[in-house]
């Protein structure tokens, strides 16, 4: 015999990246990420282009103007921006790279999505978020050094800042 049934309905809003958000000071001070200052919803595209052309983009990698000449490297027309975590597999097929996405909360980094790809063609991204005017805004940031991002910030007895690096296995 059923006495009560409750149904709760809410709008489904998958995580996706959009326009620029500043990095938390804790992460920014580690100098392990490239936070591209885009005003459109294409932060994931700029992160991909940075990874592929990082040897050519050596100065001001956070500026969108550095990516103009690479926008036609791929046919982005079939990708819906902002890209949700569920749609990253489409980007992986387009660019022939795997994409790992990490989240960040309370000075802790955790995986949100790990690619099934097991070779060296993998891009690591950080998805950060902020509540602005009642709306959740998210932004993809390129991770240059995953080991530094996940390492602890420690100060010596003399007050000198040190990073103890960790080996990070994304498949374990």
């Amino acid at each position: 015999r059923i006495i009560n049934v409750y149904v709760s309905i809410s709008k489904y809003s998958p995580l996706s990246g959009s326009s620029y958000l500043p990095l938390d000071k804790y992460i920014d001070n580690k100098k392990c990420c490239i936070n591209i200052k885009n005003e459109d919803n294409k932060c994931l595209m700029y992160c991909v282009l940075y990874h592929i052309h990082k040897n050519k983009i050596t100065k001001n990698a956070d500026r969108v103007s550095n990516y103009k000449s690479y926008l036609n490297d791929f046919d982005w027309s079939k990708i819906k921006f902002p890209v949700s975590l569920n749609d990253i597999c489409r980007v992986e097929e387009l660019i022939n790279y795997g994409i790992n996405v990490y989240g960040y909360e309370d000075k802790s980094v955790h995986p949100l999505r790990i690619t099934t790809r097991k070779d060296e063609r993998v891009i690591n991204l950080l998805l950060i978020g902020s509540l602005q005017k009642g709306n959740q805004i998210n932004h993809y940031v390129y991770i240059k050094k995953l080991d530094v991002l996940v390492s602890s910030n420690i100060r010596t007895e003399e007050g000198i800042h040190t990073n103890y690096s960790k080996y990070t296995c994304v498949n374990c």
Side-chain angles (χ1 to χ4, degrees), residues 75-106:
D75 179 11
W76 296 100
S77 64
K78 295 182 175 97
I79 305 298
K80 182 182 176 213
F81 293 99
V83 178
S84 70
L85 283 176
N86 295 333
D87 289 337
I88 287 183
C89 58
R90 293 179 187 176
V91 176
E92 287 180 320
E93 289 174 21
L94 174 69
I95 64 172
N96 193 24
Y97 274 83
I99 299 175
N100 294 327
V101 180
Y102 297 89
Y104 172 76
E105 192 173 348
D106 297 326

Side-chain angles (χ1 to χ4, degrees), residues 19-30:
S19 61
Y20 174 77
L21 288 174
L23 278 173
D24 176 284
K25 191 172 184 171
Y26 178 78
I27 293 179
D28 196 32
N29 286 340
K30 289 185 172 209

Side-chain angles (χ1 to χ4, degrees), residues 45-96:
M45 178 186 74
Y46 296 120
C47 289
V48 165
L49 293 175
Y50 174 77
H51 181 81
I52 293 169
H53 300 288
K54 61 187 165 195
N55 294 332
K56 299 173 194 165
I57 303 171
T58 56
K59 292 185 178 180
N60 302 315
D62 61 333
R63 294 184 185 171
V64 172
S65 59
N66 285 320
Y67 303 93
K68 300 278 188 218
S69 60
Y70 307 116
L71 293 177
N72 294 323
D73 286 2
F74 302 100
D75 179 11
W76 296 100
S77 64
K78 295 182 175 97
I79 305 298
K80 182 182 176 213
F81 293 99
V83 178
S84 70
L85 283 176
N86 295 333
D87 289 337
I88 287 183
C89 58
R90 293 179 187 176
V91 176
E92 287 180 320
E93 289 174 21
L94 174 69
I95 64 172
N96 193 24

Side-chain angles (χ1 to χ4, degrees), residues 10-172:
S10 62
K11 181 182 174 188
Y12 174 64
S13 299
L15 286 174
S16 62
S18 57
S19 61
Y20 174 77
L21 288 174
L23 278 173
D24 176 284
K25 191 172 184 171
Y26 178 78
I27 293 179
D28 196 32
N29 286 340
K30 289 185 172 209
K31 307 295 183 211
C32 60
C33 296
I34 300 290
N35 191 5
I36 300 167
K37 297 176 181 171
N38 63 302
E39 293 181 6
D40 53 17
N41 289 327
K42 299 180 179 180
C43 52
L44 186 131
M45 178 186 74
Y46 296 120
C47 289
V48 165
L49 293 175
Y50 174 77
H51 181 81
I52 293 169
H53 300 288
K54 61 187 165 195
N55 294 332
K56 299 173 194 165
I57 303 171
T58 56
K59 292 185 178 180
N60 302 315
D62 61 333
R63 294 184 185 171
V64 172
S65 59
N66 285 320
Y67 303 93
K68 300 278 188 218
S69 60
Y70 307 116
L71 293 177
N72 294 323
D73 286 2
F74 302 100
D75 179 11
W76 296 100
S77 64
K78 295 182 175 97
I79 305 298
K80 182 182 176 213
F81 293 99
V83 178
S84 70
L85 283 176
N86 295 333
D87 289 337
I88 287 183
C89 58
R90 293 179 187 176
V91 176
E92 287 180 320
E93 289 174 21
L94 174 69
I95 64 172
N96 193 24
Y97 274 83
I99 299 175
N100 294 327
V101 180
Y102 297 89
Y104 172 76
E105 192 173 348
D106 297 326
K107 297 184 180 179
S108 177
V109 177
H110 55 276
L112 295 174
R113 180 193 188 278
I114 300 297
T115 186
T116 56
R117 194 168 182 137
K118 303 292 184 214
D119 60 12
E120 69 283 345
R121 292 177 61 94
V122 175
I123 300 169
N124 292 314
L125 303 178
L126 180 66
L127 183 61
I128 58 173
S130 175
L131 193 61
Q132 295 180 353
K133 298 179 183 175
N135 294 319
Q136 181 66 30
I137 306 296
N138 295 312
H139 178 64
Y140 289 107
V141 176
Y142 181 80
I143 302 172
K144 284 192 305 186
K145 300 174 187 172
L146 182 60
D147 59 332
V148 174
L149 179 64
V150 300
S151 68
S152 301
N153 283 339
I154 299 173
R155 295 199 180 271
T156 63
E157 290 178 6
E158 296 81 28
I160 299 170
H161 178 266
T162 60
N163 264 337
Y164 288 103
S165 294
K166 295 180 181 178
Y167 173 74
T168 305
C169 177
V170 297
N171 298 311
C172 296

